[in-house]
Amino acid sequence: MHLIHPLGFDISEKSVKRAGLDYWDKVEIEEHESFENFLETYSPKEKNMFFVTTKGKQVYSQPKYQEMDEIFLVFGKETKGLPEEILQKYIGQTIRIPMRPTLRSLNLANSVNIVIYEVFRQKSFAGLEEISNYFETSVGE
């Protein structure tokens, strides 16, 4: 996970760690001082980068993620989304989750989950457990 400053939260806060619960220790975090600093290391055109926004040019399920080795999904702040100048510069790389026109957007956590699971789905859930081991053990033991 790449975090770009300024953050709208403190990653040392109890609530952030509680939100990650069992997964926090499994996340590799790379912090960047600014979006420009991030782009010095990762280039949107070279690295298959998508900017998730309600203003996206295509639906999040349209890109062919299964054909990509490395994918970057860029989300903005919960309250404001991505800055307008970033959206304008990378408008061709924007994706969106379809919503009813009269409804507000989904919260950030739900949006991230929807898009990430589409990437996993297109990649045949590589690296994830597809078959439950529930029935391999006796129920009630």
Side-chain angles (χ1 to χ4, degrees), residues 78-119:
E78 176 108 38
T79 55
K80 298 180 182 178
L82 291 165
E84 192 66 31
E85 61 272 9
I86 291 174
L87 294 178
Q88 290 300 320
K89 186 171 182 177
Y90 300 103
I91 195 69
Q93 294 164 256
T94 57
I95 57 176
R96 64 183 167 74
I97 297 169
M99 295 287 298
R100 289 186 177 171
T102 57
L103 298 178
R104 294 177 55 206
S105 61
L106 298 170
N107 72 30
L108 183 59
N110 287 331
S111 298
V112 170
N113 287 318
I114 288 169
V115 178
I116 286 177
Y117 266 84
E118 175 60 17
V119 172

Side-chain angles (χ1 to χ4, degrees), residues 6-22:
L7 301 176
F9 55 89
D10 179 357
I11 62 172
S12 66
E13 289 179 12
K14 271 186 179 180
S15 60
V16 173
K17 290 191 178 186
R18 187 174 60 239
L21 225 49
D22 299 334

Side-chain angles (χ1 to χ4, degrees), residues 2-67:
H2 296 266
L3 297 176
I4 300 172
H5 291 269
L7 301 176
F9 55 89
D10 179 357
I11 62 172
S12 66
E13 289 179 12
K14 271 186 179 180
S15 60
V16 173
K17 290 191 178 186
R18 187 174 60 239
L21 225 49
D22 299 334
Y23 307 105
W24 196 248
D25 63 331
K26 293 163 184 57
V27 176
E28 292 179 32
I29 297 175
E30 187 175 326
E31 294 186 58
H32 305 275
E33 290 306 313
S34 66
F35 189 67
E36 293 74 25
N37 176 259
F38 173 73
L39 292 177
E40 287 174 15
T41 309
Y42 304 99
S43 173
K45 294 187 186 330
E46 296 173 18
K47 298 288 186 179
N48 300 314
M49 192 172 298
F50 298 93
F51 298 83
V52 186
T53 171
T54 58
K55 304 168 183 90
K57 294 282 277 181
Q58 57 185 330
V59 174
Y60 73 98
S61 57
Q62 288 179 290
K64 304 288 185 230
Y65 303 114
Q66 71 271 23
E67 298 172 2

